Amino acid sequence: MRGAFITLEGTEGVGKTTCLDFVRESLSAADIPTVVTREPGGTELGEKIRNWILEGNHGELSAETETLLMFAARAFHLDEVIRPALAAGRWVICDRFSDATVAYQGGGRRADKGWIKSLRAAVHAGLEPDLTLLLDAPVEVGLHRIRARAPDHFERENRDFFARVRAAYLELARDEPHRIKVIDAAPSLTEVNSRVSAHVTAFLGRFCP
Ligand code: Z5A
């Protein structure tokens, strides 16, 4: 039986990476072998694309160029890491995946969402995450949590950009409530972890009855 594919999504600083560690520990406590990875990234090529985009020394990038770079990194990531791990029965926990392209390049940058969804279908036809934890909080909450660090290519955007990203994520969650679970990420970490834990437990019951 193939492993489960779990993704973490949300706007900047909302707590995805923190949550990912918690999910990994929860699965490890249940003796489930995991592979933890991220997008863009997860392979040598993907990390190069990630660094090149995030460092932001490239001048203006169109929404379409950004989108295609994300999918180029993703196609390689799927071939090299995600599909082999799932086929070997390992669970993959990925910090961002295609929903991020719909939210950032579609919502934030206003690239055509229909086109992005057709790329998604072309690049990973037949494979969608089994569970997506969407950490959601007002944009200001996330930006406040990361205020001390130097902003990257995306973090230099204005508040309206992040508001569009958040709205696009919430629209995806309304369209796919079975897969995407929205978690209020504004409360304390203890509270957020307890909500995440409830979703992971329910998912374990569904995926490995
Ligand atoms: N991107 C894209 O545009 N299109 C795509 O298709 C994909 C990605 C796949 C990747 O960076 C960038 O690429 C991303 C979108 C774009 N934009 N940016 N920038 P990333 O995923 O590495 O970057 P990020 O989303 O900005 O990650 P982050 O800033 O590290 O945020 P986070 O992972 O959500 O947060 P965190 O590191 O877990 O927590 C931030 C701080 O808050 C930290 O000090 C925690 O201890 C603290 N924290 C966490 N939870 C709480 C609670 N509940 N209370 C208080 N404090 C908390």
Side-chain angles (χ1 to χ4, degrees), residues 18-97:
T18 310
C19 173
L20 188 149
D21 289 340
F22 178 73
V23 172
R24 176 182 38 199
E25 282 160 22
S26 308
L27 295 180
S28 160
D31 281 332
I32 293 173
T34 57
V35 169
V36 171
T37 187
R38 67 177 180 179
E39 290 210 346
T43 64
E44 196 181 341
L45 172 68
E47 292 296 324
K48 281 186 176 155
I49 291 176
R50 176 191 184 90
N51 291 336
W52 188 81
I53 296 176
L54 294 189
E55 279 166 11
N57 300 323
H58 40 58
E60 200 68 11
L61 275 189
S62 73
E64 290 70 26
T65 303
E66 251 181 45
T67 301
L68 291 169
L69 285 169
M70 295 297 172
F71 274 105
R74 181 163 301 134
F76 195 58
H77 191 205
L78 280 156
D79 286 348
E80 294 288 305
V81 178
I82 298 177
R83 288 188 196 275
L86 293 175
R90 301 174 80 185
W91 288 36
V92 174
I93 315 172
C94 191
D95 197 338
R96 298 191 185 279
F97 190 61

Side-chain angles (χ1 to χ4, degrees), residues 49 106 119 128 138 167 194 197:
I49 291 176
L119 287 170
E128 286 294 335
S194 125
S197 184

Side-chain angles (χ1 to χ4, degrees), residues 167-177 180 182:
Y169 268 132
L170 292 173
E171 188 183 322
L172 281 169
R174 278 193 296 277
D175 289 347
E176 294 187 67
I180 305 178
V182 183

Side-chain angles (χ1 to χ4, degrees), residues 10-19 38-40 50 54 66 70 74 95-97 100-101 104-105 145-146 149 152 154-155 185-189 192:
T11 51
E12 332 301 303
V14 82
K16 291 176 314 302
T17 311
T18 310
C19 173
R38 67 177 180 179
E39 290 210 346
R50 176 191 184 90
L54 294 189
E66 251 181 45
M70 295 297 172
R74 181 163 301 134
D95 197 338
R96 298 191 185 279
F97 190 61
T101 320
Y104 279 79
Q105 281 65 49
R145 286 180 185 163
I146 57 168
R149 74 183 190 204
D152 66 29
F154 292 99
E155 291 161 2
S188 71
L189 198 49
V192 173

